[in-house]
Amino acid sequence: MGYRLHHYNHIFPICRTSFSSFRFNLRVWCCSQSGKNQGQMKQIVVNGSETQVVVDDSNLLQKKISAIRLGGPAKLQVIADFDATLTKYRIDGCRGQSSHNVLQQEDPEFNDKRQKLYEYYHPLEFDPTIPLDEKTKLMEEWWGKTHALLIEGGVTYNGIQNSVAKATIAFRDGVTELLELLEEKGVPVLIFSAGLADIIEEVLKQKVHRSFKNVRVVSNRMVFDENGHLRSFKGKTIHVLNKNEHALDMAAPLHDHFDDVNGLSEEKSALKKRTNVLLLGDHIGDLGMSDGLDYETRISVGFLNDRVEDSLESYRKAFDILYLNDSSVHGVLKLATHLCSTESD
């Protein structure tokens, strides 16, 4: 019996083993490349279903797990991307919508204009020949034009609620349980997104049906007038190249209606003291979300949702743990439970 991974042009010998580096007592299949220590493919049985996981350096991962457990929940924070990380990449076989694509304006002309902007700028976002400083200006330009169209074409808070209700968007299995665990343990969760905070919060409200006191959305936030019409955006623009802990200074607080300026300052100070990080993302660029934090130990968890054979090599080297093919987050839930436990648990 073997697992064929064409990307390596090898057939992996498979041995049944235990995932000792996690100590989760899960049944797994461990794969190695011709006996060489060049990464491990593991098919973990979680809640009755198999999940494909790649760990490039299990020894380093175990050291990181031990270090974070030693610090305890009080030193831990979770940083997560939203689209295709907390949410599913595919729903019923179709590509799920992103938080930006969810919003539909009443005048379809403006939806078309935003789509044309996407078609022009999106290839530039991934063009390796464009210098970073020039690409940053292009992203600022793209986001600025998009936000201007949202204001010009009209957006209402009721429209956001209706757009989310009709949207093809859903959280990965296990996300609710993960957020509940982290809330119980007092671990803050920062959701970084270059999208729209109001959309993300409405998705949380409609899909999870509850709020979490430890969750904060760091994203572009809308300002509505007394009639619920979009008038402007708050703070500086957060785009794909600056969504990191530096953005905390640009973003509005999640509960800004309390107008607690001192509370926000204390929150930022407290986050800086949480120097252990569990980071979740679906792009290698998401690793930059912890920029601005002088962390001691970081465990990065990646989700490689599509074109696995094309990207596996770079992703497995970039992330400490890599889940393949639009996995659930049940494995992350077990990891978080382990990180928040004591040696005696």
Side-chain angles (χ1 to χ4, degrees):
M1 180 178 181
Y3 183 86
R4 184 182 296 273
L5 193 63
H6 298 288
H7 177 81
Y8 287 123
N9 295 318
H10 280 82
I11 298 177
F12 290 82
I14 299 183
C15 60
R16 193 165 179 179
T17 183
S18 63
F19 205 174
S20 59
S21 62
F22 279 75
R23 299 175 186 170
F24 292 156
N25 298 318
L26 294 176
R27 185 164 58 87
V28 306
W29 297 104
C30 172
C31 306
S32 60
Q33 184 177 357
S34 303
K36 299 177 182 179
N37 185 22
Q38 294 189 17
Q40 299 173 339
M41 170 77 71
K42 303 177 182 291
Q43 290 192 189
I44 302 178
V45 178
V46 183
N47 290 353
S49 61
E50 287 190 351
T51 300
Q52 294 177 335
V53 186
V54 177
V55 176
D56 192 60
D57 190 335
S58 58
N59 291 328
L60 177 60
L61 175 59
Q62 183 56 54
K63 289 178 182 178
K64 290 185 176 185
I65 290 174
S66 298
I68 291 180
R69 291 188 75 196
L70 186 63
K75 290 193 67 177
L76 178 64
Q77 63 173 293
V78 173
I79 299 173
D81 173 54
F82 186 75
D83 294 314
T85 297
L86 295 181
T87 62
K88 293 180 179 180
Y89 184 79
R90 290 187 182 87
I91 301 172
D92 297 328
C94 298
R95 178 71 170 91
Q97 290 179 286
S98 69
S99 56
H100 241 136
N101 292 337
V102 163
L103 184 57
Q104 296 297 306
Q105 293 173 266
E106 291 184 7
D107 187 341
E109 176 187 352
F110 288 90
N111 295 326
D112 293 339
K113 287 181 177 180
R114 287 190 290 125
Q115 179 61 30
K116 288 179 180 177
L117 288 176
Y118 174 86
E119 292 169 359
Y120 175 76
Y121 285 102
H122 187 254
L124 301 179
E125 176 186 345
F126 294 97
D127 187 339
T129 67
I130 301 176
L132 182 60
D133 57 345
E134 183 180 341
K135 187 176 292 187
T136 298
K137 292 179 181 178
L138 288 169
M139 295 303 101
E140 291 173 350
E141 186 179 279
W142 180 12
W143 259 251
K145 290 179 179 179
T146 298
H147 289 179
L149 286 173
L150 291 173
I151 295 171
E152 181 185 355
V155 172
T156 65
Y157 189 73
N158 286 338
I160 289 176
Q161 293 175 315
N162 292 333
S163 292
V164 171
K166 299 174 183 177
T168 306
I169 190 168
F171 286 103
R172 293 180 189 266
D173 295 340
V175 164
T176 301
E177 293 87 342
L178 176 62
L179 295 178
E180 288 175 343
L181 167 75
L182 296 170
E183 182 181 49
E184 176 189 340
K185 298 297 184 180
V187 176
V189 179
L190 299 179
I191 299 176
F192 284 90
S193 175
L196 301 168
D198 307 84
I199 293 285
I200 293 171
E201 290 168 6
E202 188 61 30
V203 172
L204 281 164
K205 185 185 301 181
Q206 292 192 27
K207 304 299 182 180
V208 182
H209 307 295
R210 60 155 296 184
S211 60
F212 298 90
K213 61 185 178 183
N214 62 319
V215 174
R216 183 159 167 220
V217 178
V218 183
S219 187
N220 298 291
R221 190 170 298 277
M222 297 175 170
V223 177
F224 297 91
D225 62 20
E226 62 276 7
N227 297 316
H229 293 274
L230 173 63
R231 286 293 172 257
S232 63
F233 284 84
K234 187 173 297 184
K236 295 181 181 178
T237 301
I238 299 174
H239 53 77
V240 289
L241 296 182
N242 71 350
K243 60 168 190 175
N244 52 47
E245 294 240 353
H246 289 299
L248 286 172
D249 296 323
M250 300 191 294
L254 180 58
H255 303 293
D256 64 334
H257 53 276
F258 291 121
D259 199 26
D260 186 0
V261 177
N262 292 329
L264 177 60
S265 177
E266 292 171 3
E267 180 185 356
K268 292 177 183 176
S269 177
L271 285 172
K272 296 293 184 182
K273 295 177 182 177
R274 290 181 175 267
T275 52
N276 291 330
V277 177
L278 176 60
L279 183 147
L280 313 177
D282 72 305
H283 285 292
I284 292 176
D286 288 335
L287 294 168
M289 293 189 297
S290 57
D291 291 351
L293 175 67
D294 187 18
Y295 61 82
E296 295 176 8
T297 305
R298 182 187 73 179
I299 294 177
S300 57
V301 179
F303 293 88
L304 181 50
N305 300 304
D306 197 25
R307 301 178 65 181
V308 172
E309 294 187 1
D310 293 338
S311 303
L312 180 59
E313 183 69 16
S314 58
Y315 269 67
R316 75 175 180 86
K317 290 180 178 179
F319 290 96
D320 295 305
I321 306 169
L322 181 63
Y323 288 91
L324 308 181
N325 298 315
D326 211 11
S327 302
S328 74
V329 297
H330 288 131
V332 180
L333 173 61
K334 289 184 177 293
L335 173 61
T337 301
H338 192 61
L339 293 177
C340 292
S341 65
T342 62
E343 292 294 337
S344 59
D345 290 345

